[in-house]
Amino acid sequence: MTTSPKDLRADGEWWRSAVIYQVYIRSFADGDGDGLGDIEGIRSRLPYLQDLGVDAIWINPWYPSPMADAGYDVSDYRGVEPRFGTLADAAALIAEAHEHGIRVLLDIVPNHTSDQHPWFQAAIAAGPGSPERERYIFRPGRGDDGAQPPNDWRSMFGGSAWSRVGAAGEWYLHLFAPGQPDVDWEHPEVRAEFTETLRFWFDRGVDGFRIDVANSLIKAPGLPDAGDLPLSFGPDRGEYAQHPHWDRDEVHEVYRSWRAVADSYAAPRVFVAEAWVTHPYRLALYVRRDELHTAFNFEYLMSPWTAGALRSTITETLAEHAVVGAPPTWVLSNHDVARHVSRYAREQTGQLTHTLDELVGKPADLQLGLRRARAAALLTLALPGGAYVYQGEELGLSEVEDLPEDTLQDPTWERSDHTQRGRDGCRVPIPWSGDEPPFGFSPDGAAGPPWLPQPADWKALTVEAQSDDPDSMLSLYRRALEIRREHPALGDGTMTWLDLPDGALGFAREPGFACVVNLSASDAVRVPAEADVLLASAPLTAGGDIPVDTAVWLRT
Ligand code: GLC
């Protein structure tokens, strides 16, 4: 099936309904045979993405980087990492993607630079009290000899969020790895620099940006201790309390200025925020009309596969987004979380989960996880708003939970003293074709193996193996995306819950569409009268009812 490319000029607010495919560049396709994905690889797979039927791709950071955190440690925001290609390759990719009807979003990392960024190098060289240090967050230590970090903040990868310059120097803040020093967003040069970077890529035809840790840029004056301020998500989250470095109100001013830059283009550019916030209404604040366009909905991602939990997160998401008039987004997986086949393969206890380390040791039924993931795909793609597809979810890949320890690269592994495996298990290179690794990820005669080893049993899951199988996950995604493109009820808009037995979820969308999911109802769920099945994630019962862990799309 080859679809004709969409006319990208035709739809102004395309992002309100878009399906955006996440290309984790390191693991998507390796064009030059060094075992690491690259721009040439993405270019070669554009026909695949067009056939799949996505509206846009978001590419994880491709800038020059020492790779202390897989590219989220950027040493030059306006260049391309040589292992990924060149600026000319980037320009060619953007142009070719547009010819295939696919828009291109990049990933901007404004909270921190690499410690190899010229600004940080200059700050280290210039010493305490220098203007160079003011672009970052340097402080003297606590205690008599300054040997204690300036406050109690923790790195997201484990340990203190502060590292000391030499044995007796100042400390600098890094909410992530030591190779990722936080910049100071109170500094006008920091603001100006990032605005320039936005323009640099927008001027090269990039359609938008995903904003990395969009909620962390502003720190509380005086950098007070965080203490034991709980950061909890989900139903037990309690009252919202302002945290000294997460989701501070002052961050919104930054995004109002970014929105003005995006809107200054004849084809306005768009943003999606990565903002892990504790309350859905706090997320909606990022997508007010004069701020960002969309934000990832991580509550949905973390939700257990139960009708009650999903219904409440969907209802709350829709209500909070309606207040500000922004479309929600729906996301099941990304490069930071355990793949959802593996999450859904576990007993659904009601807890919110997203990391592999929360799953380790819990019995898994991967067939069940896959069945639920098929149903989840239909649920996700039927909800109002936009949706994200993380590369490989359309192949039904599960988390690789048993990567050999000597292959692990996520900084979490080292910083947790080898107690947390981190995020490499969802970053294993994509299997495209053939019977053995590298499964077409790298070209024949490649110089090295893929940067993370692929499981041998992925041979049944390659794009090639699934393409002509009407029952494959890939065929389900292709068909769902095809229907979604054509059906006037899908994408942006509203929905109405249907009254169904406990354990089932269903909603109607106008004109003439309904989605019904049986998550755990004790009996198979009836297809509503006078409805025809457009698509089902699994065969219906002999009587034509919807069995457990199955979703259907209906013409009503
Ligand atoms: C975001 C990225 C993650 C990265 C972190 C620090 O959460 O998605 O991969 O490690 O920011 O930049």
Side-chain angles (χ1 to χ4, degrees):
M1 175 187 67
T2 301
T3 51
S4 49
K6 228 188 203 153
D7 181 354
L8 293 183
R9 290 158 308 183
D11 44 354
E13 297 211 314
W14 63 276
W15 45 274
R16 297 190 71 92
S17 298
V19 177
I20 301 182
Y21 184 95
Q22 180 186 351
V23 173
Y24 190 70
I25 183 168
R26 300 164 58 85
S27 303
F28 186 61
D30 168 21
D32 65 3
D34 65 354
L36 189 70
D38 47 39
I39 296 179
E40 193 185 329
I42 304 174
R43 287 170 69 188
S44 72
R45 299 296 180 181
L46 287 170
Y48 169 77
L49 294 169
Q50 183 186 336
D51 280 355
L52 182 59
V54 297
D55 301 295
I57 53 177
W58 144 41
I59 305 171
N60 291 91
W62 65 14
Y63 319 106
S65 166
M67 303 285 166
D69 180 23
Y72 282 95
D73 47 320
V74 179
S75 54
D76 172 7
Y77 288 82
R78 300 180 204 153
V80 171
E81 163 63 33
R83 282 172 283 179
F84 294 146
T86 63
L87 270 177
D89 295 334
L93 169 66
I94 295 162
E96 289 165 14
H98 289 167
E99 283 159 23
H100 284 81
I102 297 172
R103 290 185 164 87
V104 178
L105 275 61
L106 300 185
D107 200 327
I108 192 159
V109 189
N111 180 68
H112 42 264
T113 69
S114 162
D115 62 353
Q116 301 305 308
H117 190 284
W119 276 8
F120 193 74
Q121 292 290 307
I124 294 294
S130 62
E132 286 83 353
R133 286 209 172 180
E134 286 172 6
R135 294 188 289 224
Y136 291 89
I137 303 178
F138 283 88
R139 292 289 183 278
R142 290 203 275 209
D144 285 345
D145 50 4
Q148 302 301 318
N151 68 22
D152 69 353
W153 296 1
R154 309 290 299 165
S155 155
M156 290 301 286
F157 300 140
S160 171
W162 296 89
S163 287
R164 200 168 192 185
V165 184
E170 288 185 319
W171 296 71
Y172 69 90
L173 177 69
H174 53 85
L175 292 180
F176 294 87
Q180 295 170 294
D182 285 47
V183 293
D184 186 348
W185 273 84
E186 306 300 343
H187 199 300
E189 283 174 30
V190 169
R191 294 191 182 220
E193 182 71 11
F194 278 95
T195 305
E196 265 321 292
T197 293
L198 294 177
R199 287 192 190 284
F200 176 88
W201 290 106
F202 288 159
D203 289 347
R204 280 159 183 74
V206 163
D207 299 285
F209 277 101
R210 176 249 190 203
I211 305 170
D212 190 61
V213 275
N215 55 324
S216 63
L217 311 193
I218 306 291
K219 280 77 182 178
L223 311 183
D225 281 346
D228 50 11
L229 196 61
L231 261 193
S232 43
F233 302 89
D236 304 325
R237 57 173 79 91
E239 287 287 298
Y240 169 74
Q242 189 98 82
H243 185 276
H245 63 74
W246 295 129
D247 190 27
R248 296 191 59 80
D249 292 334
E250 305 87 334
V251 79
H252 294 284
E253 187 196 323
V254 173
Y255 299 129
R256 282 191 278 272
S257 76
W258 284 22
R259 178 63 178 253
V261 176
D263 282 350
S264 72
Y265 285 78
R269 309 304 203 243
V270 305
F271 295 110
V272 53
E274 185 216 18
W276 291 81
V277 296
T278 52
H279 293 65
Y281 88 85
R282 297 292 304 179
L283 190 66
L285 297 178
Y286 287 81
V287 291
R288 286 175 285 190
R289 289 204 181 274
D290 58 348
E291 293 194 37
L292 306 175
H293 302 73
T294 56
F296 296 114
N297 179 356
F298 293 128
E299 291 249 351
Y300 179 72
L301 180 154
M302 289 188 283
S303 173
W305 180 249
T306 65
L310 284 166
R311 183 171 174 143
S312 71
T313 188
I314 292 167
T315 302
E316 200 168 11
T317 299
L318 293 171
E320 296 297 353
H321 281 71
V323 171
V324 294
T329 67
W330 309 97
V331 47
L332 292 168
S333 279
N334 65 33
H335 68 291
D336 290 328
V337 305
R339 285 187 176 275
H340 57 276
V341 167
S342 300
R343 300 199 313 269
Y344 295 158
R346 267 55 187 212
E347 191 190 351
Q348 301 297 296
T349 58
Q351 300 293 26
L352 303 187
T353 44
H354 66 288
T355 67
L356 169 60
D357 294 292
E358 292 164 307
L359 304 181
V360 167
K362 297 189 177 147
D365 176 345
L366 288 174
Q367 280 313 313
L368 177 65
L370 185 63
R371 182 180 173 91
R372 290 173 171 167
R374 291 176 64 94
L378 294 196
L379 171 63
T380 302
L381 293 170
L383 290 166
Y388 283 81
V389 175
Y390 175 47
Q391 67 179 36
E393 84 174 55
E394 81 279 22
L395 304 177
L397 300 187
S398 53
E399 181 80 359
V400 183
E401 299 186 24
D402 58 355
L403 283 170
E405 293 184 352
D406 61 0
T407 65
L408 296 178
Q409 301 197 12
D410 185 341
T412 305
W413 176 241
E414 287 302 327
R415 290 194 55 92
S416 70
D417 291 327
H418 299 183
T419 58
Q420 301 208 316
R421 295 179 68 88
R423 303 161 296 175
D424 291 313
C426 64
R427 300 176 173 180
V428 174
I430 294 297
W432 293 94
S433 59
D435 290 335
E436 52 187 44
F439 296 119
F441 168 71
S442 297
D444 290 344
W451 70 280
L452 286 173
Q454 300 159 305
D457 62 5
W458 277 11
K459 105 180 187 194
L461 297 177
T462 63
V463 169
E464 180 181 57
Q466 296 197 39
S467 276
D468 297 325
D469 173 1
D471 297 326
S472 69
M473 186 69 134
L474 180 57
S475 296
L476 181 74
Y477 267 85
R478 282 182 173 155
R479 183 73 189 118
L481 290 172
E482 188 181 16
I483 295 173
R484 184 181 158 112
R485 270 196 312 280
E486 283 157 12
H487 204 300
L490 293 177
D492 193 23
T494 56
M495 58 172 252
T496 313
W497 287 114
L498 301 174
D499 194 16
L500 292 175
D502 282 353
L505 279 183
F507 51 91
R509 304 201 56 190
E510 293 307 328
F513 178 91
C515 174
V516 176
V517 195
N518 180 353
L519 292 106
S520 62
S522 46
D523 295 314
V525 175
R526 278 258 105 102
V527 170
E530 317 214 334
D532 303 321
V533 175
L534 287 169
L535 189 59
S537 66
L540 303 189
T541 66
D545 296 333
I546 306 164
V548 174
D549 292 321
T550 303
V552 293
W553 283 7
L554 302 167
R555 181 187 300 114
T556 57

